[in-house]
Amino acid sequence: MFKKIIAVTALALVSFGMQAQNTVPVYLDDSKPMKDRVEDALKKMTTEEKIAMIHAQSKFSSPGVPRLGIPDNWMTDGPHGIRPEVLWDEWSQAKWTNDSCIAFPALTALSATWNKDLALLYGTSIGEEARYRNKNVLLGPGVNIYRSPLNGRNFEYMGEDPYLTSKMVVPYIKGVQSNGVAACVKHFALNNQETNRHSVNVVVDDRALYEIYLPAFKAAVQEGGTWAIMGSYNKYKGQQACHNEYLLNDILKGEWGFEGVVVADWGGAHNTKQAIFNGLDMEFGSWTDGLAWGKSNAYDNYYLAAPYLDMIKKGEVGTKELDEKVRRVLRLSFLTTMNKNRPWGSFGTEAHALAGRKIAEEGIVLLKNKNNVLPIDLAKTKKIAVIGENAIKMMTVGGGSSSLKAKYEISPLEGLKKRVGTQAQVVYARGYVGDVSSDYNGVASGQDLSEKRTAEELTVEALKVAKDADIVIFVGGLNKSDFQDSEGNDRKGLELPYNQDKLIAQLAKVNKNLVFVNISGNAVAMPWVNEVSGIVQGWFLGTEAGNALAAVLVGDVNPSGKLTFTFPVKLTDNGAHATSTFPGGDEVVYKEGLFVGYRWAEKEKIKPLFPFGHGLSYTTFQYGKVTADKKQMAASDQITFSVKVKNTGTRDGQEVVELYITDIKSSLPRPVKELKGFEKVSLKAGEEKNVSFTVDKTALSFFDDKKHAWVAEPGAFEAIIGASSADIKGKVSFELK
Ligand code: BGC
């Protein structure tokens, strides 16, 4: 008997020991296929745990499953830096002292680099910052197309061209996700204005939808492999985009096979049933006054919380959709918080500041440079006048959800002063008063911008300073306050605010060496364009803004950025405004169809102020003859175009070579030409390089709305090489058999 007990115990121990080796549950075993892990975790979860997982528990987090060791999800804005910590239940600052980030340049500046390597550097760097702060979802990048220059959030996006945006978003995502942090590409889809953003129903034809507004999202999913996507606030086909049968079920998850998580924009969910059935996976930001609703836990009242659980309990809905949502969230956890191999990240580092600076330097666009007014020749310059509020105003604070608490921010004036040192005198005059506010959502810039002098006094001072300077650098443009480059509202017009136009025209009269630096994420009207010598597009450049601008202004860096959206002369030169369809009311009809940006200008033969793809350099480039390897087309359905580009100046520089394709004859209307390739090449003074582009049928295709398919019609095409969409350097025709 005794022996028997020992034997049984031994057996139990052995089997216990064996079990101990095998007890790593499948879901925790990262040698197991993702699908098995997900199913294993799913089957261990209660319905309540599943419901908890798909909605917020605080402003920016949602619960994991503590019982199973699955951590919470923590989201952060996005897309230009890691947002400072807010309170659990309120938008107010949590007042952490260790959450000051590196502010990277706005995405408009990134896209203006036309440099995919820099998009990767951006993504990697911001991903490291997110990881260090223990956020596993970065709410960005934004890829909504620039339809109108009045959209208050254009600065958070990458311009008007679907091809360029697609190419730039992919490396950004890969960089972020290499840190075990999910990118959450936003705002899906058709969120092209802020006016009535929560309610406006967007009416757009399928061609424009597929050819213009969706490609960047598709690239994010299929090439970038993004782990999350944020739904947008607006409606499409009368349904909110955050739970939209067409956009989410049919296109995103159906046609594109998206396996990641659809996150609602904050407050973008409106209805439990639609949220259950129409593709939403995680709900955030609903009833954002949190506990003020007087419930013990307001989050329980989210559409995908108690109301959903109730419906399940009453048998009104099944659990198939719930399981599908939870599968996606679990996959997100396995890829991020539960990825044992993810790196630790780093935050506020010099390396990140320098990455931001590099991106800023390459994103700055030289729009005009009459008589080579730039770069400032410090050997000959005694006095530099810097005028304008944006020379001193911090721009990382403000503008909505992308507002940051930056570790530091170098203003244009500071940057220039530091760079010029004692080589010349730098004199500043404010010139005008714009926005004196110096805090946003509880983050103070620390600046006192109050001004006692009258507008007239400021003008008099500016003119005096300008008059006896060798060169005048006017740093103006927009800022991040309401109705400018800011979330929640659109701009009211194309013109510069605060009477800057008048001041610039006056300054031009007293000093011909006037350079206008436009700090903005949008095009502005420039009625004085012929009166100034230089124009620089200076964007919102983040932490290193002033250093980057100074480097370009004095010529340490040869500018190589190019515009990613058209600057129209006047508002009605833009398709959305020519058709009087911006911003609409309850509904906005995209009457210009696929003719967005340069596609509209070229169709209507309108000469823009500055065309898409435009940007000058301090050196000159000469383009050779464009050739095509036509034999290849017949053999492989691919074709390669080549062109030699030579730096014919005396400075090293970089040139963005742009490839456009024209469909000579087509059964459906097509734009005059469309960007289908670009390459940024570095050329030493005197150096020549061969630049080549290989394209396949995708570059020749259009979306046939009748067939609901992409088609490349046989026939004649033209490949056009340009230094901008308007500066054509050569063409070659070819045929698709
Ligand atoms: C914005 C999103 C942002 C979210 C969270 C929303 O208002 O539209 O872009 O990520 O807030 O702050």
Side-chain angles (χ1 to χ4, degrees), residues 135 249 302 372 483 601 716:
K135 310 298 181 189
N249 286 350
Y302 271 34
N372 295 328
F483 300 100

Side-chain angles (χ1 to χ4, degrees), residues 59-60 76-79 83 91 139-140 153 156-157 186-187 191 194 197-198 230 233 265-266 401-402 487:
K59 284 277 170 269
F60 283 100
T76 176
D77 283 303
R83 186 175 176 153
W91 289 112
L139 304 176
R153 288 188 91 173
E156 291 185 64
Y157 305 140
K186 63 194 190 184
H187 309 88
N191 183 191
E194 290 299 283
R197 66 172 175 164
H198 290 278
M230 183 189 286
Y233 283 139
D265 196 350
W266 270 229
S401 57
S402 63
E487 182 176 343

Side-chain angles (χ1 to χ4, degrees), residues 87-142:
L87 293 176
W88 186 264
D89 263 329
E90 289 162 42
W91 289 112
S92 330
Q93 292 301 306
K95 302 211 170 97
W96 283 18
T97 52
N98 55 357
D99 57 350
S100 300
C101 69
I102 295 300
F104 295 93
L107 291 191
T108 24
L110 170 65
S111 63
T113 66
W114 296 61
N115 186 335
K116 295 160 232 173
D117 296 338
L118 290 185
L120 180 66
L121 177 67
Y122 195 125
T124 308
S125 309
I126 197 172
E128 283 167 359
E129 297 243 327
R131 169 65 188 104
Y132 187 90
R133 285 270 305 281
N134 223 5
K135 310 298 181 189
N136 67 318
V137 181
L138 176 77
L139 304 176

Side-chain angles (χ1 to χ4, degrees), residues 696-714:
D696 61 18
K697 274 191 188 167
T698 5
L700 315 180
S701 307
F702 60 86
F703 189 79
D704 186 330
D705 47 350
K706 299 267 156 24
K707 294 185 182 142
H708 198 80
W710 287 91
V711 238
E713 275 179 355

